[in-house]
Amino acid sequence: MKEIKIKKEFSNQRVDKFVRKYLNDAPLSFIYKLFRKKDVKINDHWVKPEYILKCDDNLKIYVTDEQLNDFIKPLEYSKINFDIDIIYEDENILIVNKPSGILVHGDINEKRITLSNKVLGYLVNKNEYNPNDRGFVPSPCHRLDRNTSGLVIFAKNIISSQILMEEFKTHNNLSKVYIGLVKGKVNNKGKIDAPLYKDENTGKVTIKSIKDGGKNALTYYEPICFNELYSLLKINIVTGRTHQIRVHLSYIDHPLIGDSKYGDFNINKIFEKDFNYKNQFLHAYSISFNKLPNELSYLSNKTFKAKLPLNKEKIIYQIYNNFDINNI
């Protein structure tokens, strides 16, 4: 049996989520079997998975020592110097400018060198996080594709995580602006209102009606500068669906330059030859908060911006006759 005293920083979350983090290598079936067998107790009373933990709760998980050894996996984090640009940091959040080419979270092919592992290592080195504390792991509140650069916000505590995760889910009090280079001439601003469907088997996203399983997705765009071949757009997403910008821009026949999944492969080849650039040309440029509640209210009415990577900036400079992207 494992007995845990709930610290303040681990409270205000569902007990099943805490147990899943604590026994981080246990199958979900095993976790929820513990609850069904009443092998999870708070203050000596069995609880349901949705119970919200309180400070000083006494949690008991009835597992064997062998199961503890099998189901607790050491937390991976980077031990090398932190090499990511920090945009803003305080006791609750960390905002970084993610380079393209790095995953936010690990996948089956890469679990070690990720943005999350780098941030964890940074916080461990600052003594702001103890990797042996398993009740909460500082984590990103949203995601970017591997080859999308720009702003990513990490929460350092459970309250900040819950507030920001809800905001990124609803977009009620935040606005995200991206900068993307697309195929063709776009000389007017517009709106793309087209439901998106993700095939869980292939990972590919397509346009599909709501009745056929699609989910509402809304994107606004406006040109920053353009010519006959390429347009540089400011893109605002009202919803945050997987691959939303990439699929929506392809849908209106102005796919992102360098997009290997939804783009124009012939244009991508020409662009790579002319500018020695291969990845999708998309950057998460700014995040603005309207009115945030409670512990994060001090961030209300603030905007955070991330400069474009130098290689993207140089290409824009070449295409648009010395246009300074920093003036937008």
Side-chain angles (χ1 to χ4, degrees), residues 154-190:
F154 282 77
K156 294 184 178 182
N157 51 63
I158 188 68
I159 294 295
S160 299
S161 178
Q162 289 170 343
I163 291 172
L164 290 173
M165 292 285 277
E166 179 64 19
E167 294 301 334
F168 277 101
K169 180 181 177 181
T170 64
H171 284 68
N172 288 337
N173 289 294
L174 67 80
S175 174
K176 290 192 292 184
V177 174
Y178 292 74
I179 292 174
L181 188 70
V182 302
K183 165 192 168 185
K185 183 177 181 180
V186 180
N187 55 1
N188 291 299
K189 61 183 179 180

Side-chain angles (χ1 to χ4, degrees), residues 140-152:
C141 302
H142 58 118
R143 297 192 182 197
L144 295 180
D145 292 339
R146 178 197 286 270
N147 291 319
T148 299
S149 56
L151 292 175
V152 179

Side-chain angles (χ1 to χ4, degrees), residues 218-245:
L218 182 59
T219 303
Y220 290 93
Y221 62 90
E222 61 177 290
I224 299 170
C225 46
F226 54 85
N227 58 28
E228 296 298 324
L229 293 177
Y230 308 112
S231 297
L232 188 68
L233 304 182
K234 187 184 292 187
I235 305 155
N236 176 252
I237 55 173
V238 180
T239 50
R241 307 298 182 199
T242 301
H243 298 173
Q244 176 174 326
I245 291 174

Side-chain angles (χ1 to χ4, degrees), residues 8 91-92 157 159-160 163 292-299:
K8 180 181 178 181
E91 68 275 14
N92 293 315
N157 51 63
I159 294 295
S160 299
I163 291 172
L292 292 181
N294 305 323
E295 285 82 352
L296 296 186
S297 61
Y298 64 93
L299 295 173

Side-chain angles (χ1 to χ4, degrees), residues 97-217:
N97 187 0
K98 182 185 93 70
S100 61
I102 184 172
L103 289 167
V104 174
H105 280 298
D107 62 13
I108 58 173
N109 298 313
E110 178 56 77
K111 295 182 180 180
R112 195 167 53 86
I113 303 175
T114 68
L115 184 63
S116 293
N117 287 357
K118 285 175 177 285
V119 166
L120 282 180
Y122 168 73
L123 295 176
V124 169
N125 288 336
K126 287 183 68 184
N127 294 318
E128 287 194 26
Y129 178 67
N130 182 348
N132 295 318
D133 282 345
R134 317 193 65 82
F136 174 77
V137 179
S139 55
C141 302
H142 58 118
R143 297 192 182 197
L144 295 180
D145 292 339
R146 178 197 286 270
N147 291 319
T148 299
S149 56
L151 292 175
V152 179
I153 302 180
F154 282 77
K156 294 184 178 182
N157 51 63
I158 188 68
I159 294 295
S160 299
S161 178
Q162 289 170 343
I163 291 172
L164 290 173
M165 292 285 277
E166 179 64 19
E167 294 301 334
F168 277 101
K169 180 181 177 181
T170 64
H171 284 68
N172 288 337
N173 289 294
L174 67 80
S175 174
K176 290 192 292 184
V177 174
Y178 292 74
I179 292 174
L181 188 70
V182 302
K183 165 192 168 185
K185 183 177 181 180
V186 180
N187 55 1
N188 291 299
K189 61 183 179 180
K191 177 177 78 170
I192 308 168
D193 187 355
L196 298 176
Y197 173 81
K198 181 180 178 181
D199 187 321
E200 296 298 337
N201 294 319
T202 65
K204 193 161 185 178
V205 178
T206 55
I207 304 292
K208 188 175 282 192
S209 68
I210 299 292
K211 68 177 183 179
D212 291 326
K215 294 182 179 180
N216 286 321

Side-chain angles (χ1 to χ4, degrees), residues 10 42 46 56 80 133 153 170 205 223 250 281 286 316:
F10 300 155
I42 298 289
W46 72 272
D56 294 329
I80 61 176
D133 282 345
I153 302 180
T170 64
V205 178
S250 180
F281 204 112
S286 72
I316 292 169

